[in-house]
Amino acid sequence: MESLFGLLKVRVRRGINLAVRDVRSSDPYIVIKMGKQKLKTSVMYNNVNPEWNEELTLSVTDPNLPIRLTVYDKDTFSADDKMGDAEFDIKPFIEAVKMHLADLPSGTIITKVTPCRSNYLSEESTVIWENGCIVQALCLRLRNVECGEVELQLQWVDVPGSRGI
C-alpha cells in the first residue's frame, strides 16, 4: 500500500467506427493495461459503434507508466482478433491533480492536450474541474488497424494513507 499514489477511474465510454472482423460486424471488447495491471470491458456483440459506459479502476503506483488500450473481437471457435490499439500518457492529467485545486466553478478548464504523433489523440483533450473532481475526456485514434476510435474519461481518486501525488 505504501507505493500507491491513488486510483485512476477510466470510464470506457464508446467505440466509434471500429473495424469489421466478422462477416458484417464485430464483437468488440477492450483490454486496458498499466504496468502489471490488466482490466477488461464486457463484450458488445454485433456492434462496430459500441456504447460501453463501463468504469475500470487502476491503482497508480508509477504515474510515469503509459496506459495501453487494445480492442479485440471476441471469437467463439478461434483466437480473438485484434481490432487496433492505442497508448496514452497520464502526465498532463497528473500535473493537474498535483495542483490540489478546490472550489473551482464546474467546467473550469485546467489544461489542454493537443493531438500529435506521439499521443494517439484524434482531437484536443481538456483536463477540467467537474463537480469537485478533476476529469479528462480523451478520444483516441486506434493504430495497427484500418479505422476506429475509442472515447474515454479519466477521473482521479485520492486514497487515504497513500503517498498521494
Side-chain angles (χ1 to χ4, degrees):
M1 180 83 162
E2 59 200 64
S3 66
L4 181 68
F5 282 98
L7 302 176
L8 182 68
K9 287 184 186 178
V10 180
R11 176 168 293 281
V12 179
R13 291 185 177 257
R14 66 189 185 129
I16 303 163
N17 193 30
L18 299 178
V20 172
R21 288 292 180 260
D22 294 333
V23 178
R24 287 189 205 101
S25 191
S26 290
D27 306 318
Y29 66 93
I30 293 178
V31 173
I32 292 180
K33 291 182 184 178
M34 182 183 198
K36 295 179 182 175
Q37 296 174 82
K38 182 178 174 181
L39 303 170
K40 184 178 136 177
T41 66
S42 58
V43 177
M44 299 300 248
Y45 293 95
N46 297 314
N47 198 337
V48 292
N49 292 294
E51 301 257 351
W52 282 281
N53 282 314
E54 291 182 28
E55 198 170 89
L56 306 174
T57 304
L58 294 163
S59 300
V60 179
T61 54
D62 182 354
N64 296 311
L65 284 175
I67 297 175
R68 185 177 178 104
L69 170 150
T70 307
V71 182
Y72 291 94
D73 171 47
K74 180 75 176 159
D75 287 327
T76 306
F77 301 109
S78 61
D80 293 353
D81 301 314
K82 257 189 164 181
M83 296 173 62
D85 61 271
E87 199 170 273
F88 62 97
D89 156 1
I90 60 170
K91 288 178 199 152
F93 181 77
I94 294 299
E95 289 305 313
V97 171
K98 284 181 181 178
M99 292 179 190
H100 301 289
L101 301 169
D103 302 324
L104 292 173
S106 201
T108 300
I109 296 172
I110 300 165
T111 190
K112 295 180 181 183
V113 184
T114 306
C116 66
R117 289 183 182 181
S118 63
N119 67 16
Y120 303 100
L121 290 173
S122 61
E123 58 191 41
E124 184 176 76
S125 174
T126 54
V127 179
I128 64 170
W129 181 263
E130 189 71 43
N131 300 320
C133 299
I134 293 175
V135 298
Q136 180 179 6
L138 303 154
C139 186
L140 301 171
R141 182 177 294 114
L142 298 174
R143 65 182 175 185
N144 303 316
V145 68
E146 59 273 18
C147 60
E149 295 178 343
V150 173
E151 287 184 0
L152 307 171
Q153 183 183 36
L154 308 180
Q155 181 179 334
W156 186 255
V157 178
D158 282 318
V159 176
S162 67
R163 283 197 295 184
I165 293 289

Short mmCIF file of all heavy atoms in Angstrom, two decimals, residues 10-64:
data_model
loop_
_atom_site.label_atom_id
_atom_site.label_comp_id
_atom_site.label_asym_id
_atom_site.label_seq_id
_atom_site.Cartn_x
_atom_site.Cartn_y
_atom_site.Cartn_z
N VAL A 10 -11.09 4.88 -15.07
CA VAL A 10 -11.13 5.00 -16.52
C VAL A 10 -12.52 4.60 -16.97
O VAL A 10 -12.89 3.42 -16.88
CB VAL A 10 -10.06 4.11 -17.20
CG1 VAL A 10 -10.12 4.27 -18.72
CG2 VAL A 10 -8.67 4.41 -16.67
N ARG A 11 -13.30 5.57 -17.42
CA ARG A 11 -14.63 5.25 -17.95
C ARG A 11 -14.48 5.03 -19.44
O ARG A 11 -14.13 5.95 -20.19
CB ARG A 11 -15.63 6.37 -17.68
CG ARG A 11 -17.00 6.07 -18.32
CD ARG A 11 -18.09 6.99 -17.86
NE ARG A 11 -18.42 6.81 -16.46
CZ ARG A 11 -19.19 5.82 -15.99
NH1 ARG A 11 -19.68 4.92 -16.80
NH2 ARG A 11 -19.46 5.74 -14.71
N VAL A 12 -14.72 3.79 -19.87
CA VAL A 12 -14.69 3.47 -21.29
C VAL A 12 -16.07 3.81 -21.81
O VAL A 12 -17.05 3.11 -21.53
CB VAL A 12 -14.35 1.98 -21.53
CG1 VAL A 12 -14.33 1.67 -23.02
CG2 VAL A 12 -13.02 1.62 -20.88
N ARG A 13 -16.17 4.93 -22.53
CA ARG A 13 -17.47 5.41 -22.99
C ARG A 13 -17.98 4.64 -24.20
O ARG A 13 -19.02 4.02 -24.15
CB ARG A 13 -17.40 6.90 -23.29
CG ARG A 13 -17.24 7.74 -22.06
CD ARG A 13 -17.32 9.21 -22.40
NE ARG A 13 -17.23 9.99 -21.19
CZ ARG A 13 -18.27 10.56 -20.61
NH1 ARG A 13 -19.47 10.45 -21.13
NH2 ARG A 13 -18.11 11.25 -19.51
N ARG A 14 -17.23 4.73 -25.32
CA ARG A 14 -17.74 4.10 -26.54
C ARG A 14 -16.64 3.91 -27.58
O ARG A 14 -15.59 4.53 -27.51
CB ARG A 14 -18.88 4.92 -27.14
CG ARG A 14 -18.45 6.28 -27.65
CD ARG A 14 -19.65 7.12 -28.04
NE ARG A 14 -19.23 8.37 -28.64
CZ ARG A 14 -19.68 8.83 -29.79
NH1 ARG A 14 -20.57 8.15 -30.48
NH2 ARG A 14 -19.25 9.98 -30.27
N GLY A 15 -16.94 3.06 -28.55
CA GLY A 15 -16.09 2.88 -29.72
C GLY A 15 -16.79 3.53 -30.91
O GLY A 15 -18.03 3.56 -30.98
N ILE A 16 -16.00 4.08 -31.82
CA ILE A 16 -16.56 4.76 -32.99
C ILE A 16 -15.96 4.15 -34.25
O ILE A 16 -14.74 4.11 -34.40
CB ILE A 16 -16.24 6.27 -32.94
CG1 ILE A 16 -16.76 6.89 -31.65
CG2 ILE A 16 -16.81 6.99 -34.17
CD1 ILE A 16 -16.17 8.24 -31.33
N ASN A 17 -16.82 3.67 -35.14
CA ASN A 17 -16.40 3.14 -36.43
C ASN A 17 -15.27 2.11 -36.29
O ASN A 17 -14.26 2.17 -36.99
CB ASN A 17 -15.97 4.30 -37.34
CG ASN A 17 -15.81 3.87 -38.78
OD1 ASN A 17 -16.49 2.96 -39.25
ND2 ASN A 17 -14.90 4.51 -39.49
N LEU A 18 -15.48 1.14 -35.39
CA LEU A 18 -14.48 0.10 -35.20
C LEU A 18 -14.44 -0.82 -36.42
O LEU A 18 -15.41 -0.93 -37.17
CB LEU A 18 -14.78 -0.71 -33.93
CG LEU A 18 -14.77 0.09 -32.62
CD1 LEU A 18 -15.12 -0.81 -31.45
CD2 LEU A 18 -13.43 0.77 -32.39
N ALA A 19 -13.33 -1.49 -36.59
CA ALA A 19 -13.13 -2.36 -37.76
C ALA A 19 -14.07 -3.57 -37.71
O ALA A 19 -14.39 -4.09 -36.65
CB ALA A 19 -11.69 -2.83 -37.81
N VAL A 20 -14.48 -4.02 -38.89
CA VAL A 20 -15.29 -5.24 -39.03
C VAL A 20 -14.32 -6.42 -39.06
O VAL A 20 -13.40 -6.46 -39.88
CB VAL A 20 -16.15 -5.19 -40.31
CG1 VAL A 20 -16.84 -6.51 -40.55
CG2 VAL A 20 -17.15 -4.04 -40.22
N ARG A 21 -14.53 -7.40 -38.17
CA ARG A 21 -13.65 -8.56 -38.12
C ARG A 21 -14.42 -9.87 -38.31
O ARG A 21 -13.83 -10.92 -38.44
CB ARG A 21 -12.88 -8.61 -36.79
CG ARG A 21 -11.80 -7.56 -36.70
CD ARG A 21 -10.69 -7.87 -37.69
NE ARG A 21 -9.62 -6.91 -37.65
CZ ARG A 21 -9.47 -5.91 -38.50
NH1 ARG A 21 -10.36 -5.72 -39.46
NH2 ARG A 21 -8.45 -5.09 -38.41
N ASP A 22 -15.74 -9.81 -38.27
CA ASP A 22 -16.56 -10.99 -38.57
C ASP A 22 -17.16 -10.75 -39.95
O ASP A 22 -16.68 -9.92 -40.68
CB ASP A 22 -17.62 -11.19 -37.47
CG ASP A 22 -17.00 -11.53 -36.12
OD1 ASP A 22 -15.89 -12.10 -36.10
OD2 ASP A 22 -17.60 -11.19 -35.08
N VAL A 23 -18.23 -11.42 -40.31
CA VAL A 23 -18.78 -11.28 -41.65
C VAL A 23 -19.26 -9.85 -41.92
O VAL A 23 -18.85 -9.22 -42.88
CB VAL A 23 -19.91 -12.30 -41.88
CG1 VAL A 23 -20.53 -12.11 -43.26
CG2 VAL A 23 -19.39 -13.71 -41.72
N ARG A 24 -20.13 -9.31 -41.07
CA ARG A 24 -20.67 -7.97 -41.30
C ARG A 24 -20.43 -7.01 -40.13
O ARG A 24 -20.74 -5.84 -40.23
CB ARG A 24 -22.18 -8.04 -41.54
CG ARG A 24 -22.52 -8.62 -42.88
CD ARG A 24 -24.02 -8.46 -43.15
NE ARG A 24 -24.43 -9.48 -44.08
CZ ARG A 24 -25.06 -10.60 -43.77
NH1 ARG A 24 -25.38 -10.84 -42.52
NH2 ARG A 24 -25.39 -11.47 -44.69
N SER A 25 -19.94 -7.52 -39.03
CA SER A 25 -19.78 -6.68 -37.84
C SER A 25 -18.62 -7.20 -37.00
O SER A 25 -17.75 -7.91 -37.52
CB SER A 25 -21.09 -6.70 -37.03
OG SER A 25 -21.04 -5.70 -36.02
N SER A 26 -18.60 -6.86 -35.74
CA SER A 26 -17.59 -7.35 -34.80
C SER A 26 -18.22 -7.47 -33.43
O SER A 26 -19.30 -6.93 -33.18
CB SER A 26 -16.41 -6.38 -34.73
OG SER A 26 -15.67 -6.40 -35.92
N ASP A 27 -17.54 -8.17 -32.55
CA ASP A 27 -17.97 -8.35 -31.16
C ASP A 27 -16.87 -7.78 -30.26
O ASP A 27 -16.10 -8.53 -29.66
CB ASP A 27 -18.20 -9.84 -30.85
CG ASP A 27 -19.16 -10.50 -31.84
OD1 ASP A 27 -20.18 -9.87 -32.17
OD2 ASP A 27 -18.89 -11.63 -32.27
N PRO A 28 -16.76 -6.44 -30.18
CA PRO A 28 -15.60 -5.84 -29.53
C PRO A 28 -15.63 -5.85 -28.00
O PRO A 28 -16.70 -5.81 -27.38
CB PRO A 28 -15.63 -4.40 -30.04
CG PRO A 28 -17.06 -4.14 -30.32
CD PRO A 28 -17.64 -5.45 -30.79
N TYR A 29 -14.44 -5.90 -27.45
CA TYR A 29 -14.21 -5.63 -26.03
C TYR A 29 -12.84 -4.97 -25.94
O TYR A 29 -12.05 -5.03 -26.87
CB TYR A 29 -14.31 -6.88 -25.17
CG TYR A 29 -13.24 -7.94 -25.41
CD1 TYR A 29 -12.07 -7.96 -24.65
CD2 TYR A 29 -13.41 -8.91 -26.38
CE1 TYR A 29 -11.09 -8.93 -24.86
CE2 TYR A 29 -12.45 -9.88 -26.59
CZ TYR A 29 -11.29 -9.89 -25.82
OH TYR A 29 -10.33 -10.85 -26.04
N ILE A 30 -12.57 -4.31 -24.82
CA ILE A 30 -11.33 -3.57 -24.65
C ILE A 30 -10.56 -4.09 -23.45
O ILE A 30 -11.15 -4.36 -22.39
CB ILE A 30 -11.61 -2.05 -24.47
CG1 ILE A 30 -12.18 -1.49 -25.78
CG2 ILE A 30 -10.36 -1.29 -24.05
CD1 ILE A 30 -12.54 -0.02 -25.72
N VAL A 31 -9.25 -4.23 -23.63
CA VAL A 31 -8.35 -4.58 -22.54
C VAL A 31 -7.47 -3.35 -22.27
O VAL A 31 -6.88 -2.80 -23.20
CB VAL A 31 -7.47 -5.80 -22.89
CG1 VAL A 31 -6.43 -6.05 -21.82
CG2 VAL A 31 -8.34 -7.04 -23.10
N ILE A 32 -7.42 -2.93 -21.01
CA ILE A 32 -6.59 -1.80 -20.60
C ILE A 32 -5.48 -2.32 -19.68
O ILE A 32 -5.77 -3.06 -18.74
CB ILE A 32 -7.43 -0.72 -19.89
CG1 ILE A 32 -8.39 -0.08 -20.90
CG2 ILE A 32 -6.55 0.33 -19.23
CD1 ILE A 32 -9.27 0.99 -20.35
N LYS A 33 -4.24 -1.93 -20.00
CA LYS A 33 -3.10 -2.37 -19.20
C LYS A 33 -2.30 -1.16 -18.73
O LYS A 33 -2.09 -0.21 -19.48
CB LYS A 33 -2.16 -3.24 -20.04
CG LYS A 33 -2.71 -4.58 -20.41
CD LYS A 33 -1.68 -5.37 -21.19
CE LYS A 33 -2.24 -6.69 -21.68
NZ LYS A 33 -1.25 -7.43 -22.48
N MET A 34 -1.85 -1.25 -17.48
CA MET A 34 -0.92 -0.26 -16.92
C MET A 34 0.03 -1.06 -16.04
O MET A 34 -0.39 -1.62 -15.03
CB MET A 34 -1.64 0.81 -16.11
CG MET A 34 -0.71 1.86 -15.56
SD MET A 34 -1.63 3.04 -14.54
CE MET A 34 -0.46 4.38 -14.52
N GLY A 35 1.30 -1.12 -16.45
CA GLY A 35 2.25 -1.94 -15.70
C GLY A 35 1.79 -3.39 -15.73
O GLY A 35 1.51 -3.94 -16.80
N LYS A 36 1.64 -4.00 -14.57
CA LYS A 36 1.21 -5.41 -14.48
C LYS A 36 -0.31 -5.56 -14.37
O LYS A 36 -0.82 -6.67 -14.36
CB LYS A 36 1.88 -6.08 -13.28
CG LYS A 36 3.38 -6.18 -13.44
CD LYS A 36 4.02 -6.82 -12.23
CE LYS A 36 5.54 -6.85 -12.41
NZ LYS A 36 6.20 -7.36 -11.22
N GLN A 37 -1.04 -4.44 -14.29
CA GLN A 37 -2.49 -4.50 -14.17
C GLN A 37 -3.14 -4.67 -15.53
O GLN A 37 -2.70 -4.08 -16.51
CB GLN A 37 -3.03 -3.22 -13.54
CG GLN A 37 -2.55 -2.98 -12.13
CD GLN A 37 -3.02 -1.63 -11.66
OE1 GLN A 37 -4.16 -1.48 -11.22
NE2 GLN A 37 -2.15 -0.64 -11.76
N LYS A 38 -4.21 -5.45 -15.56
CA LYS A 38 -4.92 -5.70 -16.82
C LYS A 38 -6.41 -5.77 -16.50
O LYS A 38 -6.84 -6.59 -15.69
CB LYS A 38 -4.43 -7.03 -17.39
CG LYS A 38 -5.03 -7.42 -18.70
CD LYS A 38 -4.39 -8.73 -19.16
CE LYS A 38 -5.03 -9.29 -20.39
NZ LYS A 38 -4.41 -10.55 -20.79
N LEU A 39 -7.20 -4.89 -17.14
CA LEU A 39 -8.64 -4.84 -16.93
C LEU A 39 -9.35 -4.97 -18.26
O LEU A 39 -8.81 -4.61 -19.30
CB LEU A 39 -9.02 -3.51 -16.26
CG LEU A 39 -8.33 -3.21 -14.92
CD1 LEU A 39 -8.60 -1.78 -14.50
CD2 LEU A 39 -8.80 -4.17 -13.86
N LYS A 40 -10.60 -5.46 -18.22
CA LYS A 40 -11.32 -5.76 -19.46
C LYS A 40 -12.78 -5.32 -19.36
O LYS A 40 -13.40 -5.46 -18.31
CB LYS A 40 -11.22 -7.27 -19.66
CG LYS A 40 -11.82 -7.81 -20.92
CD LYS A 40 -11.60 -9.31 -20.96
CE LYS A 40 -12.86 -9.98 -21.40
NZ LYS A 40 -12.76 -11.41 -21.55
N THR A 41 -13.29 -4.78 -20.48
CA THR A 41 -14.72 -4.44 -20.55
C THR A 41 -15.51 -5.69 -20.92
O THR A 41 -14.95 -6.73 -21.27
CB THR A 41 -15.00 -3.37 -21.63
OG1 THR A 41 -14.72 -3.93 -22.91
CG2 THR A 41 -14.21 -2.11 -21.39
N SER A 42 -16.82 -5.55 -20.92
CA SER A 42 -17.67 -6.63 -21.41
C SER A 42 -17.64 -6.65 -22.94
O SER A 42 -17.21 -5.69 -23.58
CB SER A 42 -19.10 -6.43 -20.91
OG SER A 42 -19.59 -5.19 -21.33
N VAL A 43 -18.10 -7.73 -23.53
CA VAL A 43 -18.17 -7.88 -24.99
C VAL A 43 -19.49 -7.26 -25.47
O VAL A 43 -20.54 -7.48 -24.87
CB VAL A 43 -18.11 -9.37 -25.40
CG1 VAL A 43 -18.27 -9.53 -26.90
CG2 VAL A 43 -16.81 -10.01 -24.91
N MET A 44 -19.40 -6.47 -26.56
CA MET A 44 -20.59 -5.90 -27.17
C MET A 44 -20.81 -6.61 -28.50
O MET A 44 -20.06 -6.38 -29.45
CB MET A 44 -20.41 -4.40 -27.40
CG MET A 44 -20.18 -3.63 -26.12
SD MET A 44 -21.55 -3.82 -24.99
CE MET A 44 -22.19 -2.20 -25.00
N TYR A 45 -21.79 -7.48 -28.57
CA TYR A 45 -21.99 -8.32 -29.74
C TYR A 45 -22.58 -7.56 -30.93
O TYR A 45 -23.45 -6.71 -30.76
CB TYR A 45 -22.86 -9.53 -29.37
CG TYR A 45 -22.14 -10.46 -28.43
CD1 TYR A 45 -22.31 -10.37 -27.06
CD2 TYR A 45 -21.23 -11.40 -28.92
CE1 TYR A 45 -21.62 -11.20 -26.19
CE2 TYR A 45 -20.53 -12.23 -28.06
CZ TYR A 45 -20.72 -12.12 -26.71
OH TYR A 45 -20.01 -12.93 -25.85
N ASN A 46 -22.07 -7.89 -32.12
CA ASN A 46 -22.56 -7.33 -33.39
C ASN A 46 -22.66 -5.81 -33.38
O ASN A 46 -23.71 -5.25 -33.67
CB ASN A 46 -23.93 -7.93 -33.75
CG ASN A 46 -23.84 -9.42 -33.97
OD1 ASN A 46 -22.95 -9.90 -34.66
ND2 ASN A 46 -24.75 -10.15 -33.35
N ASN A 47 -21.53 -5.15 -33.06
CA ASN A 47 -21.60 -3.70 -32.93
C ASN A 47 -20.23 -3.07 -33.22
O ASN A 47 -19.27 -3.33 -32.50
CB ASN A 47 -22.04 -3.35 -31.50
CG ASN A 47 -22.54 -1.95 -31.38
OD1 ASN A 47 -22.21 -1.08 -32.18
ND2 ASN A 47 -23.35 -1.71 -30.35
N VAL A 48 -20.15 -2.24 -34.24
CA VAL A 48 -18.90 -1.53 -34.53
C VAL A 48 -18.92 -0.10 -33.97
O VAL A 48 -17.97 0.64 -34.13
CB VAL A 48 -18.55 -1.52 -36.05
CG1 VAL A 48 -18.20 -2.93 -36.52
CG2 VAL A 48 -19.65 -0.91 -36.87
N ASN A 49 -20.03 0.27 -33.30
CA ASN A 49 -20.15 1.56 -32.61
C ASN A 49 -20.69 1.30 -31.19
O ASN A 49 -21.74 1.82 -30.82
CB ASN A 49 -21.07 2.50 -33.39
CG ASN A 49 -20.46 2.93 -34.69
OD1 ASN A 49 -19.45 3.63 -34.72
ND2 ASN A 49 -21.04 2.49 -35.80
N PRO A 50 -19.97 0.50 -30.41
CA PRO A 50 -20.48 0.09 -29.09
C PRO A 50 -20.47 1.22 -28.06
O PRO A 50 -19.62 2.10 -28.09
CB PRO A 50 -19.52 -1.02 -28.67
CG PRO A 50 -18.24 -0.66 -29.36
CD PRO A 50 -18.65 -0.07 -30.68
N GLU A 51 -21.43 1.17 -27.16
CA GLU A 51 -21.53 2.11 -26.03
C GLU A 51 -21.32 1.28 -24.77
O GLU A 51 -22.23 0.62 -24.29
CB GLU A 51 -22.91 2.76 -25.99
CG GLU A 51 -23.26 3.52 -27.25
CD GLU A 51 -23.12 5.03 -27.10
OE1 GLU A 51 -22.92 5.50 -25.98
OE2 GLU A 51 -23.21 5.70 -28.14
N TRP A 52 -20.10 1.29 -24.23
CA TRP A 52 -19.82 0.52 -23.02
C TRP A 52 -20.27 1.27 -21.77
O TRP A 52 -20.94 0.71 -20.92
CB TRP A 52 -18.33 0.21 -22.89
CG TRP A 52 -17.84 -0.90 -23.75
CD1 TRP A 52 -17.99 -2.24 -23.51
CD2 TRP A 52 -17.12 -0.80 -24.97
NE1 TRP A 52 -17.40 -2.96 -24.52
CE2 TRP A 52 -16.86 -2.10 -25.42
CE3 TRP A 52 -16.66 0.27 -25.72
CZ2 TRP A 52 -16.15 -2.37 -26.58
CZ3 TRP A 52 -15.96 0.02 -26.88
CH2 TRP A 52 -15.72 -1.30 -27.31
N ASN A 53 -19.81 2.50 -21.61
CA ASN A 53 -20.04 3.28 -20.38
C ASN A 53 -19.69 2.45 -19.15
O ASN A 53 -20.45 2.41 -18.18
CB ASN A 53 -21.48 3.81 -20.31
CG ASN A 53 -21.63 5.02 -21.20
OD1 ASN A 53 -20.80 5.92 -21.19
ND2 ASN A 53 -22.68 5.02 -22.00
N GLU A 54 -18.53 1.79 -19.20
CA GLU A 54 -18.06 0.96 -18.09
C GLU A 54 -16.89 1.65 -17.40
O GLU A 54 -16.05 2.25 -18.05
CB GLU A 54 -17.61 -0.42 -18.58
CG GLU A 54 -18.75 -1.27 -19.06
CD GLU A 54 -18.30 -2.65 -19.50
OE1 GLU A 54 -17.28 -3.17 -18.99
OE2 GLU A 54 -18.99 -3.22 -20.36
N GLU A 55 -16.86 1.54 -16.09
CA GLU A 55 -15.78 2.15 -15.31
C GLU A 55 -14.80 1.08 -14.84
O GLU A 55 -15.20 0.11 -14.20
CB GLU A 55 -16.39 2.86 -14.11
CG GLU A 55 -15.48 3.87 -13.49
CD GLU A 55 -16.23 4.71 -12.47
OE1 GLU A 55 -16.26 4.30 -11.30
OE2 GLU A 55 -16.78 5.76 -12.87
N LEU A 56 -13.54 1.27 -15.18
CA LEU A 56 -12.47 0.37 -14.76
C LEU A 56 -11.53 1.20 -13.88
O LEU A 56 -11.29 2.36 -14.17
CB LEU A 56 -11.71 -0.17 -15.98
CG LEU A 56 -12.57 -0.85 -17.05
CD1 LEU A 56 -11.72 -1.21 -18.26
CD2 LEU A 56 -13.25 -2.09 -16.51
N THR A 57 -11.02 0.62 -12.80
CA THR A 57 -10.18 1.37 -11.87
C THR A 57 -8.78 0.78 -11.79
O THR A 57 -8.62 -0.40 -11.51
CB THR A 57 -10.83 1.41 -10.47
OG1 THR A 57 -12.14 1.97 -10.59
CG2 THR A 57 -10.02 2.27 -9.51
N LEU A 58 -7.80 1.63 -12.04
CA LEU A 58 -6.39 1.24 -11.97
C LEU A 58 -5.76 1.81 -10.71
O LEU A 58 -6.03 2.95 -10.33
CB LEU A 58 -5.63 1.79 -13.18
CG LEU A 58 -6.00 1.22 -14.54
CD1 LEU A 58 -5.48 2.13 -15.65
CD2 LEU A 58 -5.46 -0.18 -14.69
N SER A 59 -4.90 1.04 -10.06
CA SER A 59 -4.10 1.52 -8.94
C SER A 59 -2.84 2.14 -9.53
O SER A 59 -2.10 1.46 -10.23
CB SER A 59 -3.71 0.36 -8.03
OG SER A 59 -4.86 -0.27 -7.52
N VAL A 60 -2.60 3.41 -9.24
CA VAL A 60 -1.44 4.10 -9.80
C VAL A 60 -0.29 4.05 -8.80
O VAL A 60 -0.35 4.66 -7.74
CB VAL A 60 -1.79 5.56 -10.18
CG1 VAL A 60 -0.56 6.27 -10.74
CG2 VAL A 60 -2.92 5.60 -11.19
N THR A 61 0.74 3.28 -9.16
CA THR A 61 1.94 3.19 -8.33
C THR A 61 3.09 3.96 -8.98
O THR A 61 4.02 4.36 -8.31
CB THR A 61 2.36 1.73 -8.10
OG1 THR A 61 2.50 1.09 -9.37
CG2 THR A 61 1.30 0.99 -7.27
N ASP A 62 3.02 4.14 -10.29
CA ASP A 62 4.02 4.91 -11.03
C ASP A 62 3.29 5.78 -12.05
O ASP A 62 2.87 5.28 -13.10
CB ASP A 62 5.01 3.98 -11.72
CG ASP A 62 6.11 4.74 -12.47
OD1 ASP A 62 6.04 5.98 -12.56
OD2 ASP A 62 7.03 4.07 -12.97
N PRO A 63 3.13 7.08 -11.77
CA PRO A 63 2.38 7.94 -12.68
C PRO A 63 3.08 8.17 -14.02
O PRO A 63 2.49 8.75 -14.92
CB PRO A 63 2.24 9.25 -11.91
CG PRO A 63 3.24 9.21 -10.83
CD PRO A 63 3.58 7.79 -10.55
N ASN A 64 4.31 7.70 -14.17
CA ASN A 64 5.02 7.83 -15.45
C ASN A 64 4.73 6.69 -16.41
O ASN A 64 5.11 6.76 -17.58
CB ASN A 64 6.53 7.92 -15.21
CG ASN A 64 6.88 9.18 -14.44
OD1 ASN A 64 6.43 10.27 -14.77
ND2 ASN A 64 7.63 9.01 -13.37
#
